[in-house]
Amino acid sequence: MMRCSAQANTGVGVGTIVIRPELCYICHLHQGDMRAFLNWDTFFTCLLIFATTTALYYIPTNFDFLNPIKQAIGDFDITDMAQSRFRDNDAIAIDTSIVLVNLSTLNRAGIADMVDKLNAAGPAVIGIDAMFRKPKSPDADSSLAQAFRRVPHLVLGCKIDYDDSVQAFDSVETQCDVFARCAERTGFYNVISDDDKSFRTVRNFSPKEMVNTDTVLNFAAAVCQAYDATSTMRLLSRNNSTEQIYFRGGTQDFYNLDAEQVLDSSADLSFIRNKIVLIGFIGERIDTVPHSLEDVFFTPLNSNYAGRAFPDMYGVVIHANVVSQILHRQYINEMPLWLALLLSFVMCVSTVACFNIIEEHLPFWYDALTIAIFLLQSLALTFLHIVVFNNLHYKLNITVSLAALALTPTLHEIYHNSIKPLFWKAVGKFRRKKA
């Protein structure tokens, strides 16, 4: 190891290394700080932090009494705040290529009249978010089937069933045959929160699923395929099993019509020409607050993102948001796990080293400074996460980093005040016994 020399050397000979005195001073000044980064205490403290973080993540799954806490924490995502509170919604334009139409309480005969009237206005695609599983009135069914056949590009939906024993989708629940034969395309309605509709939030969608040996497209993807095949290919070429939904907004962020407006004989529907029309249940009236749990879900746009009381978005509106996302190609990319772990490791080492320096040089201020550093780091990470998500549509994976930072002050003290002294005490006892 070459030592720094404080003596200036003005002559340069062969093989001579000249080191300026002021550089030696800087090297000497920071030598103690560098030791805070490159020592075994920092390594073992970080090891303890990551081991504890991992244990806290996996252990609660085995305790039923912690399930309510786990669910409350597990259903929260910082991007919820980014979309519901920290986004300039005025800057998001209404998607004029999509028209939402409310089925309300119409029977099949009423739906047939609605479809005929909409189809006469010349939309590019009509997608219907409703299941017609069984035959009912022969006259009404016949009228509805004839209305469906007159639509050049009709997209209907299906439900795909998941078998837990084989961990795969194994069957498809289709429309009644008389209606299924009328559709140009079919896509599955399932949303990823189907397993627990009463609590979970819809944040993602699956572009396609394998059902036995067949590939079934998502309903929104099937609608887009009929309208803009290139955009749909762009979605499928990403080859992601799931995509996070970029929510444009609720019904007010799309053209929307109630059933009575469509069926009004004086209504001018010419504005829907060459647009995508999505028909589905949006309550008795669009302007009413949801009061039933029929096809309604929580989303990140829910203003009460913590302690939610009632779902905020109907299924057809979620499909409209996915369609809009596919057409505008506004995909959200997520930080890979390896990069998230690297970020967490760098922050953990830096924080522990900083705590070591504070403990050595400012022991009286240790408690106050460590808490202040943790709070500042957490706020800075959260703010950065929201800014990057809203502006770049990139999701930083900071969960591990925040958990590690939260544990660092406590575990740093536990290591230095308990684990390290006990370890060296045991080593000393072992050496004395051996001697």
Side-chain angles (χ1 to χ4, degrees):
M1 180 177 179
M2 185 179 70
R3 290 182 174 274
C4 297
S5 173
Q7 182 179 358
N9 190 342
T10 56
V12 180
V14 177
T16 304
I17 299 177
V18 180
I19 301 177
R20 297 175 62 187
E22 55 269 29
L23 295 180
C24 293
Y25 173 75
I26 294 173
C27 180
H28 175 73
L29 180 64
H30 292 287
Q31 188 175 15
D33 293 345
M34 287 303 298
R35 283 200 302 268
F37 283 88
L38 305 175
N39 61 35
W40 286 108
D41 286 340
T42 300
F43 172 77
F44 285 119
T45 304
C46 291
L47 187 64
L48 176 64
I49 291 169
F50 277 100
T52 306
T53 303
T54 303
L56 290 176
Y57 180 81
Y58 285 104
I59 289 177
T61 59
N62 300 320
F63 296 95
D64 291 336
F65 72 91
L66 290 175
N67 281 343
I69 298 175
K70 180 188 173 185
Q71 285 183 336
I73 295 174
D75 195 46
F76 175 77
D77 193 294
I78 294 175
T79 58
D80 293 356
M81 292 193 299
Q83 297 188 71
S84 64
R85 296 294 181 91
F86 296 99
R87 185 174 73 174
D88 184 10
N89 291 320
D90 294 335
I92 300 177
I94 292 176
D95 193 331
T96 58
S97 62
I98 300 170
V99 181
L100 289 169
V101 178
N102 185 15
L103 278 178
S104 187
T105 56
L106 291 179
N107 56 22
R108 291 186 180 181
I111 296 172
D113 292 339
M114 172 186 282
V115 171
D116 275 335
K117 186 132 188 226
L118 291 168
N119 187 46
V125 182
I126 293 181
I128 301 180
D129 180 13
M131 287 293 291
F132 306 98
R133 294 180 175 86
K134 298 178 180 179
K136 288 188 177 180
S137 166
D139 292 340
D141 288 355
S142 176
S143 297
L144 184 57
Q146 289 176 18
F148 283 171
R149 290 191 196 99
R150 285 190 283 267
V151 178
H153 303 291
L154 176 68
V155 180
L156 294 179
C158 62
K159 289 278 188 178
I160 52 177
D161 298 321
Y162 191 79
D163 188 345
D164 290 322
S165 62
V166 297
Q167 299 289 300
F169 290 98
D170 65 345
S171 61
V172 179
E173 183 184 359
T174 62
Q175 308 277 353
C176 181
D177 287 342
V178 67
F179 304 124
R181 291 193 296 265
C182 303
E184 180 186 61
R185 288 178 174 80
T186 302
F188 63 84
Y189 292 134
N190 305 57
V191 295
I192 292 179
S193 72
D194 268 353
D195 291 337
D196 192 358
K197 294 180 182 178
S198 64
F199 189 84
R200 305 300 294 182
T201 299
V202 177
R203 297 188 182 91
N204 306 290
F205 75 96
S206 172
K208 62 181 180 180
E209 291 291 349
M210 290 296 298
V211 182
N212 296 321
T213 58
D214 298 324
T215 300
V216 184
L217 285 181
N218 181 283
F219 174 72
V223 170
C224 289
Q225 190 176 55
Y227 183 79
D228 182 357
T230 304
S231 293
T232 309
M233 286 301 298
R234 175 69 183 90
L235 165 70
L236 299 177
S237 67
R238 289 168 59 83
N239 204 30
N240 291 333
S241 59
T242 62
E243 294 278 0
Q244 182 163 348
I245 302 173
Y246 177 76
F247 282 91
R248 180 170 292 273
T251 53
Q252 72 279 1
D253 293 288
F254 304 92
Y255 287 155
N256 60 81
L257 294 167
D258 259 315
E260 60 186 30
Q261 292 175 296
V262 175
L263 297 176
D264 186 349
S265 59
S266 62
D268 180 10
L269 301 178
S270 59
F271 72 95
I272 72 173
R273 187 170 189 80
N274 296 325
K275 299 186 188 301
I276 295 173
V277 174
L278 295 178
I279 305 173
F281 181 74
I282 318 178
E284 292 184 10
R285 287 182 58 88
I286 289 177
D287 55 2
T288 57
V289 177
H291 60 273
S292 72
L293 293 176
E294 183 181 353
D295 195 34
V296 62
F297 305 89
F298 289 110
T299 72
L301 298 186
N302 195 315
S303 57
N304 298 318
Y305 53 85
R308 298 184 176 100
F310 206 84
D312 58 290
M313 189 174 290
Y314 288 98
V316 68
V317 185
I318 293 176
H319 292 312
N321 277 277
V322 176
V323 169
S324 178
Q325 177 177 1
I326 296 172
L327 295 181
H328 292 276
R329 305 183 185 185
Q330 294 177 319
Y331 297 108
I332 297 170
N333 296 309
E334 187 170 354
M335 176 183 287
L337 180 60
W338 68 267
L339 187 56
L341 293 174
L342 179 62
L343 172 66
S344 178
F345 174 76
V346 171
M347 292 197 67
C348 186
V349 171
S350 302
T351 304
V352 170
C354 184
F355 286 2
N356 290 341
I357 295 170
I358 292 172
E359 187 177 43
E360 181 179 353
H361 298 289
L362 298 168
F364 181 77
W365 293 98
Y366 177 83
D367 291 334
L369 289 176
T370 53
I371 293 174
I373 289 171
F374 160 65
L375 291 175
L376 288 173
Q377 286 177 317
S378 301
L379 290 173
L381 264 182
T382 303
F383 178 75
L384 178 65
H385 182 72
I386 291 173
V387 170
V388 170
F389 183 84
N390 279 340
N391 291 279
L392 302 178
H393 296 165
Y394 187 82
K395 185 176 180 181
L396 301 177
N397 191 344
I398 62 172
T399 304
V400 178
S401 298
L402 288 175
L405 289 176
L407 294 171
T408 298
T410 301
L411 294 180
H412 184 266
E413 287 194 56
I414 290 175
Y415 172 79
H416 283 275
N417 297 335
S418 299
I419 296 177
K420 184 179 177 181
L422 288 173
F423 172 78
W424 286 115
K425 184 177 180 181
V427 170
K429 186 176 180 180
F430 174 77
R431 287 175 176 173
R432 288 193 298 272
K433 185 177 180 180
K434 188 176 181 180

